[in-house]
Amino acid sequence: MKVTVVGAGAVGASCAEYIAIKNFASEVVLLDIKEGFAEGKAMDLMQTASLNGFDTKITGVTGDYSQTAGSDVCVITSGIPRKPGMTREELIGINAGIVKNVSTSLLEHSPNMILIVVSNPMDTMTYLAHKATGLPKNRIIGMGGALDSARFKYRLAEALGAPISDVDGMVIGGHSDTGMFPLTRLATRNSVPVSEFLSEERLNQVKEDTKVGGATLTKLLGTSAWYAPGAAVSGMVQAIACDTKKIFPCSTLLDGEYGLTDICLGVPVVLGKDGIEKIVDITLNEEEKAHLAASAEGVKKTNGLLEF
Ligand SMILES: NC(=O)C1=CN([C@@H]2O[C@H](COP(=O)(O)OP(=O)(O)OC[C@H]3O[C@@H](n4cnc5c(N)ncnc54)[C@H](O)[C@@H]3O)[C@@H](O)[C@H]2O)C=CC1
Ligand SMILES: O=C([O-])CC(=O)C(=O)O
């Protein structure tokens, strides 16, 4: 399994690190436009191999897509991150051009790739990658829901006073401060609905804290997060590499599922060797349907800013 990660910045390097530590890929290529940067990150990471016990070979290249040839999975993390006070949507002006060029360059050398889009605004960048590459919809996957769900579980565990491993929950909808929708109704602590333990008010607080998870970290760090984003991507790449058929909420091109078409939005999907092997169309209540529809409206508005 050969994996290419474009963008050797905070998120890209974290992706490469977690993929290597999990030891399921033979090769990871890091590519960046900043001269020598990816080479440096790759060398630093390779010098952790004997310490962390992995055999994955990590190489770094500056802009040379021929080195990415034959990749099974490619991840796009190139682009600018937001600063405190900004929304993800404000990044579209710079990131759209980068994602368009990077996705077509990757396709030229890896025609069979499964593409994971991370750059923000992620749902719109995933839609753009579809338009730019024409790849079948199972082979373009946006990463957002896996991260948002991890943050939801963190907040749930905090509220419950429980270990995170005892908690399950999922976030669907657009990967934005207002668009994402933590499914509190379906969240559980060891199979017991969390509403058995938490008041409606506390659950609403969990939901709100989850939605601003990225903004909270951006305010603390001065730039956006990277550890949990990198871990979320590595989990998705592992599900594809190892054909696990695990369910992750991912941004995917919808064609009637959830009553939506011509939009990439976060919904549960089964990930395996073919990428998105199934979109899981779960039954939502009226309130949840209304949230998802509003979230879709927001993403469509951002998609309207794209130039093809
Ligand atoms: N979908 C998600 O859940 C998340 C998305 N993000 C997004 O990921 C992106 C990257 O974030 P960070 O790694 O923190 O930023 P960063 O600034 O640390 O790294 C970005 C890297 O991309 C490189 N780059 C820029 N243009 C390029 C090009 N055309 N080709 C190759 N490399 C290029 C830069 O040189 C830089 O090294 C941002 O857009 C951020 O908003 C970040 C966290 C989570
Ligand atoms: O908050 C950001 O801008 C980066 C991101 O998407 C996240 O960490 O969820």
Side-chain angles (χ1 to χ4, degrees):
M1 159 75 50
K2 177 173 177 176
V3 182
T4 286
V5 179
V6 180
V11 177
S14 172
C15 285
E17 181 176 14
Y18 286 120
I19 290 169
I21 285 174
K22 291 179 181 178
N23 216 7
F24 60 82
S26 51
E27 193 180 351
V28 175
V29 178
L30 265 176
L31 183 148
D32 204 283
I33 41 163
K34 222 187 291 174
E35 189 69 42
F37 190 59
E39 287 86 339
K41 288 282 182 106
M43 193 185 291
D44 194 8
L45 283 170
M46 278 307 282
Q47 291 170 2
T48 71
S50 62
L51 300 163
N52 284 330
F54 63 77
D55 297 316
T56 303
K57 183 182 166 211
I58 307 169
T59 51
V61 292
T62 304
D64 180 5
Y65 280 88
S66 69
Q67 302 294 316
T68 69
S71 294
D72 302 288
V73 179
C74 296
V75 183
I76 304 183
T77 75
S78 46
I80 54 164
R82 63 174 158 167
K83 295 252 179 287
M86 288 174 77
T87 65
R88 296 176 180 89
E89 288 76 8
E90 285 174 69
L91 305 173
I92 190 172
I94 292 176
N95 288 355
I98 294 174
V99 169
K100 193 172 173 184
N101 286 335
V102 168
S103 54
T104 51
S105 302
L106 286 170
L107 182 64
E108 227 171 272
H109 297 273
S110 300
N112 299 320
M113 69 175 173
I114 290 169
L115 183 63
I116 299 180
V117 180
V118 180
S119 310
N120 275 315
M122 181 278 296
D123 298 286
T124 296
M125 294 302 101
T126 306
Y127 183 75
L128 173 62
H130 270 289
K131 296 285 178 195
T133 64
L135 278 174
K137 60 185 218 159
N138 59 305
R139 284 168 50 201
I140 300 190
I141 313 168
M143 191 291 285
L147 169 64
D148 300 330
S149 300
R151 289 180 176 151
F152 183 33
K153 287 178 239 186
Y154 165 81
R155 289 299 184 188
L156 279 170
E158 181 184 58
L160 290 161
I164 293 180
S165 58
D166 219 20
V167 171
D168 202 9
M170 185 163 59
V171 177
I172 61 171
H175 181 60
S176 70
D177 297 341
T178 51
M180 72 179 74
F181 187 66
L183 283 169
T184 45
R185 180 178 61 90
L186 301 178
T188 58
R189 176 176 183 180
N190 207 342
S191 307
V192 182
V194 291
S195 55
E196 295 279 336
F197 306 109
L198 298 173
S199 66
E200 197 181 334
E201 193 189 4
R202 188 68 184 93
L203 261 177
N204 278 335
Q205 188 60 50
V206 165
K207 199 188 271 186
E208 291 314 309
D209 288 345
T210 301
K211 288 167 72 175
V212 296
T216 302
L217 285 162
T218 303
K219 196 170 165 202
L220 289 168
L221 296 165
T223 184
S224 55
W226 56 89
Y227 295 117
V233 173
S234 75
M236 289 163 59
V237 177
Q238 186 174 24
I240 296 165
C242 304
D243 194 25
T244 62
K245 321 282 189 203
K246 276 182 75 159
I247 290 180
F248 291 81
C250 295
S251 190
T252 182
L253 189 65
L254 296 173
D255 187 18
E257 299 89 354
Y258 293 90
L260 297 164
T261 49
D262 195 34
I263 185 171
C264 291
L265 200 68
V267 297
V269 306
V270 173
L271 289 186
K273 65 178 181 351
D274 297 322
I276 294 180
E277 299 194 346
K278 186 178 173 19
I279 294 174
V280 184
D281 207 344
I282 57 173
T283 307
L284 299 177
N285 66 26
E286 291 309 312
E287 187 200 347
E288 290 157 354
K289 277 185 200 160
H291 272 286
L292 200 65
S295 180
E297 275 312 305
V299 172
K300 283 212 166 173
K301 205 167 146 205
T302 310
N303 291 353
L305 301 172
L306 290 172
E307 289 163 15
F308 299 114

